[in-house]
Amino acid sequence: MSEATSKTIRLIITRQEGPKSAPYEESFDVPYRPNMNVISALMAIRRHPVTSKGEQTSAPQWEMNCLEEVCGACSMVINGRPRQACTALIDKLDQPIHLKPMRTFPVVRDLVVDRSRMFDALKKVKAWIPIDGTYDLGPGPRMAENKRQWAYELSKCMTCGCCLEACPNVNSKSDFMGPAPLSQVRLFNAHPTGAMNKAERLHAIMGSGGLASCGNSQNCVEVCPKGIPLTTSIAALNRETVVQGFRDFFGSDYI
Ligand code: SF4
């Protein structure tokens, strides 16, 4: 027996043909099935792209990959909140359900955005641990268990962009890199091997677009789907950059 019922759900999607096109809204009615998420509703629209007014239209575009809130690709603004479409369950959303692209990033088409500014920021802060060669370097230094535990929490970042979308200081007129890349600086500086490049990473966030652009609105920590303590990271980095500033001035032999 089919699980489908006669109930329908309504989605209002903000669409956009291309990066420079004007946005517009289209509304769709989708047959309800138990346990649907926003992705399955979008897939139903894609199979039958007809608006609530009965007009044939193009299939809305969106990105998705892992479907288990690990890749961050399906981030969009759902009923006013930036989050992943894969974990947005229809039964838990008020209707009609409004889907919009994250406006902090340039819109490519419909719900697809270009998150390059986040990846560029990760490059700027060197959010990786450089190793010399591909040969076996051995197990490396151990991390204290309490440090490993909080560092693990920071490592859950999936570069989804929700924290940048929620931050009032990240926008097209600002070069602020946003909370996620900052938190990655704290993560990689905490690693025993990554600490070798600590000063380099701190210098990258002491300049334009770095820490000083944070207005401490604390929206980021409210929306992060992984519960990453972003404001704690930012506070810790504020302390570390002050110490780095003294080191730069007096020389690292003295501090
Ligand atoms: Fe997404 Fe959280 Fe990472 Fe920001 S810190 S990009 S909200 S996972």
Side-chain angles (χ1 to χ4, degrees):
M1 191 172 75
S2 164
E3 281 191 310
T5 70
S6 56
K7 205 165 124 186
T8 58
I9 49 173
R10 175 159 292 190
L11 293 103
I12 300 174
I13 305 178
T14 300
R15 307 197 56 183
Q16 192 169 322
E17 296 294 321
K20 296 198 190 311
S21 321
Y24 61 96
E25 284 187 348
E26 268 183 350
S27 134
F28 299 89
D29 293 325
V30 175
Y32 172 82
R33 278 182 293 111
N35 305 320
M36 286 179 92
N37 61 3
V38 166
I39 295 282
S40 59
L42 282 167
M43 285 170 146
I45 295 170
R46 185 168 64 185
R47 283 193 298 273
H48 183 63
V50 174
T51 68
S52 306
K53 293 180 190 157
E55 294 162 352
Q56 186 76 33
T57 185
S58 57
Q61 303 296 305
W62 77 95
E63 277 192 307
M64 61 179 178
N65 189 9
C66 74
L67 301 180
E68 53 181 358
E69 207 175 66
V70 173
C71 75
C74 67
S75 304
M76 58 185 73
V77 180
I78 301 173
N79 284 354
R81 184 183 174 93
R83 56 181 299 185
Q84 283 67 58
C86 62
T87 46
L89 301 179
I90 297 296
D91 288 337
K92 296 196 171 165
L93 294 171
D94 291 335
Q95 289 196 42
I97 299 165
H98 291 264
L99 305 183
K100 299 182 184 202
M102 295 194 293
R103 289 277 168 201
T104 293
F105 304 96
V107 175
V108 177
R109 183 168 178 177
D110 296 336
L111 302 166
V112 179
V113 296
D114 177 359
R115 287 180 292 148
S116 295
R117 73 180 287 165
M118 285 194 84
F119 301 110
D120 290 343
L122 290 176
K123 285 186 218 160
K124 183 177 174 185
V125 302
K126 296 192 164 47
W128 61 81
I129 295 171
I131 56 164
D132 183 13
T134 53
Y135 50 88
D136 183 4
L137 296 171
R142 286 181 70 85
M143 275 176 98
E145 179 57 20
N146 63 346
K147 192 175 182 183
R148 189 201 60 76
Q149 282 184 10
W150 66 250
Y152 177 67
E153 294 306 313
L154 305 190
S155 76
K156 289 180 183 170
C157 178
M158 54 184 170
T159 329
C160 69
C162 291
C163 56
L164 273 77
E165 175 72 9
C167 176
N169 289 21
V170 180
N171 53 63
S172 58
K173 296 188 182 67
S174 126
D175 63 353
F176 180 35
M177 63 177 66
L182 291 175
S183 195
Q184 293 301 292
V185 170
R186 185 172 174 233
L187 170 66
F188 286 99
N189 282 358
H191 190 278
T193 311
M196 285 191 304
N197 302 88
K198 183 174 177 174
E200 225 178 324
R201 293 194 195 92
L202 291 176
H203 285 145
I205 62 169
M206 286 161 77
S208 172
L211 263 185
S213 301
C214 172
N216 201 24
S217 69
Q218 315 218 357
N219 292 1
C220 54
V221 79
E222 292 291 324
V223 299
C224 176
K226 296 295 180 186
I228 295 173
L230 296 162
T231 46
T232 308
S233 286
I234 289 169
L237 290 170
N238 272 320
R239 290 190 294 274
E240 286 183 22
T241 48
V242 169
V243 173
Q244 184 61 45
F246 280 117
R247 279 205 175 111
D248 294 343
F249 192 77
F250 294 109
S252 54
D253 290 346
Y254 296 96
I255 298 167

